[in-house]
Amino acid sequence: MDDLLKSMESLIDLSVHPLSNLSNLSAYIRFTLPDINWCGFYFLLDGVLQLGPFCGLPACIMIPLGRGVCGTAAAADQMICVPDVNLFPGHIACDANSRSELVIPVHLDGKVIGVMDIDSSVPDRFHEPEIELLTKAAERIEGSLAINRTIWAFNV
Ligand code: SME
């Protein structure tokens, strides 16, 4: 797990546009961790989660706060691990293959500004210590966004 975190950290370059880091981290998680079919970010713009960089099939563009797994995690400022998406009330199905999901809030200046969303085609896919690894990856992204604020007009 330490090696994976180091690899993720090495993908985050503070001198480049944040979109580049978010895109690369999405692709790395999608293709390096087993059985991941979608990984990406949603960011709050005008109080609605809007699709950011991702790797996977095209996804829904806007998710209201409190809706779906992403909107619920953002509204509650809480990581949500869903072993069976069919049992999560209001789950938004973007990829019909997704069976389980992990959503981790992303913060800036102590406020939720978005989420990192990871989907798997395998039921009950997400467990420790991988959840901790992915939480640390989200924290690294938070750190990079705090330093390089060049483009985001986060209005949370
Ligand atoms: N399943 C998410 C929607 C986003 S896609 O999985 C990419 C949700 O319920 O919020």
Side-chain angles (χ1 to χ4, degrees):
M1 289 291 161
D2 283 354
D3 287 348
L4 283 174
L5 183 61
K6 284 198 177 82
S7 300
M8 292 183 197
E9 287 172 344
S10 71
L11 287 175
I12 299 173
D13 181 341
L14 298 179
S15 68
V16 302
H17 197 291
L19 285 174
S20 307
N21 293 325
L22 295 162
S23 301
N24 259 348
L25 188 63
S26 301
Y28 183 85
I29 291 171
R30 159 72 178 80
F31 283 107
T32 305
L33 302 185
D35 302 316
I36 303 300
N37 60 321
W38 201 94
C39 177
F41 293 85
Y42 282 87
F43 286 103
L44 276 171
L45 292 169
D46 299 325
V48 176
L49 287 171
Q50 300 198 17
L51 184 61
F54 70 94
C55 184
L57 289 179
C60 54
I61 295 170
M62 307 236 267
I63 301 177
L65 273 179
R67 296 279 300 279
V69 187
C70 293
T72 303
D77 188 6
Q78 211 164 29
M79 184 269 287
I80 298 183
C81 180
V82 182
D84 182 346
V85 295
N86 294 319
L87 298 181
F88 189 92
H91 169 258
I92 300 166
C94 294
D95 181 341
N97 287 319
S98 295
R99 288 289 171 272
S100 56
E101 182 162 359
L102 181 72
V103 178
I104 300 170
V106 174
H107 305 87
L108 184 66
D109 300 334
K111 287 185 192 167
V112 177
I113 55 162
V115 297
M116 183 166 83
D117 181 20
I118 307 160
D119 289 7
S120 174
S121 54
V122 172
D124 198 15
R125 164 67 183 75
F126 300 100
H127 297 278
E128 297 292 357
E130 206 180 47
I131 292 177
E132 188 184 350
L133 167 76
L134 293 166
T135 302
K136 284 182 178 166
E139 286 169 3
R140 300 301 186 272
I141 280 294
E142 288 174 344
S144 73
L145 293 174
I147 291 167
N148 188 338
R149 301 170 179 238
T150 47
I151 49 108
W152 295 118
F154 292 122
N155 49 354
V156 293

